[in-house]
Amino acid sequence: MSNTQAILDIHDKPSTGKLATLSIQHMFAMFGATILVPQIVGLSPAIALLTSGIATLIFLFITKFQVPAYLGSSFAFIAPILFLTGQAGIGSAMIGSLFVALVYFIVSLVIWKTGYKWIMKLLPPIVVAPVIIVIGLALSPVAVDMAMNITVNNVKEYSMLHFSAALVTLLAAVIATLFFKGMISLMPVLIGIIVGYVYSLFIGIVDYTAVTKAKLIAAPDFLLPGIDYEFIITPTLIIIMVPIAIVTISEHIGHQLVLGKIVNRNYIKEPGLHRSILGDGLGTFISGLIGGPPKTTYGENIGVLAITRVYSVYVIAGAAVLAIVFSFFGKVMALISSIPTAVLGGISILLFGIIASSGLRMLVDSKIDFGDKRNLVISSIILVIGIGGAKLHFSETFVIEGMALAAIVGVILNLVLPGRPQVSDDLFEENTTE
């Protein structure tokens, strides 16, 4: 199938000069969000950039170079990673990533053997959307704390100076989103961080010590999976991370549907949802093995494709290769690490809010009727359990809480409560191109 709307279609190969320019543009559109997640959870930005490039190349290979998707750091796993880091060290979160990848593998295998329509019946918008809202709102205290407070002698203190940097960052990102067109409007995270960083330099809250000591070329900080105090894979470790796959798989399906509309192809059928989910899972698995955050297909990628009408997988692969190369520039990575926490907090206020709002948008787009008591009950319980911090404490090593518990309860309620509506097949067929 060819696409007459495309400037460069899926397998069109641009000239070397144009390929380099388009790939750089694409990488920077993904750059801000990709490095933000590791900055928040305490991972290396370099390893996140490296693994995003590797995961994207793996995804392209698994999908037979038919799907122009870029994989970056997933925001959905920020809260679970922070929780596990506090309990057993950052290495435990990497083990959690491996189990998340295992879920992707299993789902991919089942779809391959039985078809794809069952999964949307298991994960309808009335379950997924409230869980997405929970993810965004549960992270809101993290964003505000980063924006307002600094740590002095292990004690958090309010700082108006640092908060001003957060507000400048937030304002710059909002302006880039609302008042600019084209590529600039697709890079509000990067624009906000740059403006916030310059302002932070002006007010003197940037520490350049690490930059001066860093080597020009340096390998990323690899991190092997493992629990810091003892290598025990507890049920809590698994249950904190794995249920979030409910959201990320649903997000993945949504991205494939939207991407298919843009490039005039049906990716649910060819190369198949099982292949794209497998590519996503394998990217997350490799990332977790070497210390990177879980991966997901990026909405920013879809936005860039829609605006530029450059759908070439060569450009996506070029952006992935550039991300890998950039990760070995020690000075650049040290400069990224010098971004003040307040700047990251400012941009996180917008991003975490957008996550919550995207859940609301899913409810609206899916025409969820809250006059239906069943919908009202399911969404209400998910929201309160997730945001309220409810937990099931079975033992010292087995606790289910927060958004993980909310996701599990949502799936169970949808399956057992009477009046479950039938999921229309039109969702999958509307992408068919004659």
Side-chain angles (χ1 to χ4, degrees):
M1 290 180 291
S2 63
N3 191 340
T4 57
Q5 300 296 318
I7 292 176
L8 287 172
D9 207 2
I10 303 297
H11 296 120
D12 290 345
K13 187 175 182 179
S15 63
T16 303
K18 185 177 289 186
L19 175 61
T21 302
L22 292 173
S23 295
I24 289 171
Q25 173 181 265
H26 207 95
M27 186 199 72
F28 276 108
M30 311 298 122
F31 190 85
T34 297
I35 65 168
L36 181 60
V37 173
Q39 287 284 78
I40 293 172
V41 301
L43 290 169
S44 162
I47 203 70
L49 203 57
L50 172 67
T51 52
S52 76
I54 293 173
T56 299
L57 293 177
I58 289 172
F59 181 88
L60 291 174
F61 178 77
I62 295 294
T63 56
K64 302 189 289 188
F65 293 92
Q66 294 183 25
V67 185
Y70 190 95
L71 272 61
S73 307
S74 174
F75 283 81
F77 292 94
I78 290 177
I81 290 175
L82 290 174
F83 175 84
L84 290 174
T85 300
Q87 296 294 309
I90 190 67
S92 64
M94 299 303 97
I95 295 179
S97 292
L98 303 184
F99 278 99
V100 169
L102 181 61
V103 172
Y104 276 80
F105 298 157
I106 294 172
V107 170
S108 173
L109 178 62
V110 174
I111 291 175
W112 179 46
K113 290 295 185 182
T114 66
Y116 50 74
K117 296 176 183 178
W118 62 271
I119 193 166
M120 287 306 293
K121 295 177 182 179
L122 182 67
L123 304 175
I126 190 56
V127 173
V128 176
V131 174
I132 293 174
I133 295 171
V134 166
I135 289 173
L137 295 183
L139 288 169
S140 58
V142 176
V144 173
D145 178 69
M146 292 170 64
M148 292 196 314
N149 301 321
I150 59 173
T151 302
V152 179
N153 297 324
N154 294 322
V155 177
K156 288 185 178 180
E157 297 180 359
Y158 173 82
S159 170
M160 184 62 196
L161 186 66
H162 286 73
F163 194 30
S164 70
L167 294 176
V168 168
T169 303
L170 176 60
L171 180 62
V174 170
I175 291 173
T177 302
L178 297 180
F179 298 104
F180 286 86
K181 303 295 182 183
M183 286 297 299
I184 297 296
S185 67
L186 290 170
M187 297 189 285
V189 174
L190 188 60
I191 299 299
I193 289 175
I194 291 173
V195 172
Y197 192 87
V198 171
Y199 176 79
S200 299
L201 282 173
F202 179 75
I203 63 176
I205 63 171
V206 178
D207 184 0
Y208 269 125
T209 304
V211 180
T212 57
K213 293 181 178 179
K215 297 178 180 179
L216 179 61
I217 305 296
D221 297 326
F222 294 97
L223 173 67
L224 295 177
I227 301 176
D228 288 355
Y229 63 88
E230 56 181 336
F231 194 85
I232 299 177
I233 300 175
T234 65
T236 297
L237 186 154
I238 298 171
I239 209 70
I240 286 294
M241 291 282 282
V242 166
I244 309 305
I246 292 172
V247 174
T248 53
I249 289 176
S250 300
E251 179 185 48
H252 175 95
I253 295 171
H255 284 168
Q256 293 302 99
L257 289 169
V258 174
L259 183 59
K261 289 180 182 178
I262 290 173
V263 304
N264 197 32
R265 284 165 172 81
N266 188 338
Y267 287 136
I268 301 298
K269 288 188 175 181
E270 181 60 37
L273 187 59
H274 63 289
R275 279 187 172 270
S276 62
I277 289 179
L278 177 62
D280 207 334
L282 191 55
T284 293
F285 185 81
I286 298 300
S287 180
L289 277 181
I290 61 177
K295 296 294 180 270
T296 186
T297 48
Y298 260 17
E300 290 92 335
N301 174 74
I302 296 173
V304 173
L305 295 181
I307 283 183
T308 63
R309 289 185 293 153
V310 173
Y311 310 145
S312 173
V313 291
Y314 292 98
V315 173
I316 303 295
V321 171
L322 285 172
I324 293 171
V325 171
F326 259 72
S327 70
F328 285 89
F329 281 90
K331 287 286 186 183
V332 175
M333 292 299 107
L335 188 65
I336 291 171
S337 298
S338 70
I339 298 172
T341 302
V343 171
L344 300 176
I347 202 68
S348 296
I349 290 174
L350 176 63
L351 281 176
F352 297 164
I354 288 175
I355 291 172
S357 298
S358 67
L360 293 172
R361 179 177 177 177
M362 180 181 287
L363 291 172
V364 173
D365 290 346
S366 302
K367 297 181 174 60
I368 299 299
D369 179 15
F370 280 101
D372 185 335
K373 293 180 180 179
R374 183 180 188 277
N375 291 337
L376 193 63
V377 166
I378 293 174
S379 60
S380 299
I381 293 174
I382 290 174
L383 290 171
V384 173
I385 286 178
I387 299 172
K391 66 173 67 176
L392 294 177
H393 198 129
F394 297 100
S395 68
E396 291 300 321
T397 59
F398 188 17
V399 181
I400 309 175
E401 62 180 309
M403 64 183 70
L405 180 58
I408 294 170
V409 168
V411 169
I412 294 174
L413 286 175
N414 178 63
L415 292 175
V416 302
L417 292 182
R420 178 155 57 103
Q422 295 296 314
V423 178
S424 173
D425 290 345
D426 292 344
L427 175 67
F428 300 94
E429 302 303 333
E430 65 184 6
N431 254 25
T432 302
T433 303
E434 298 296 339

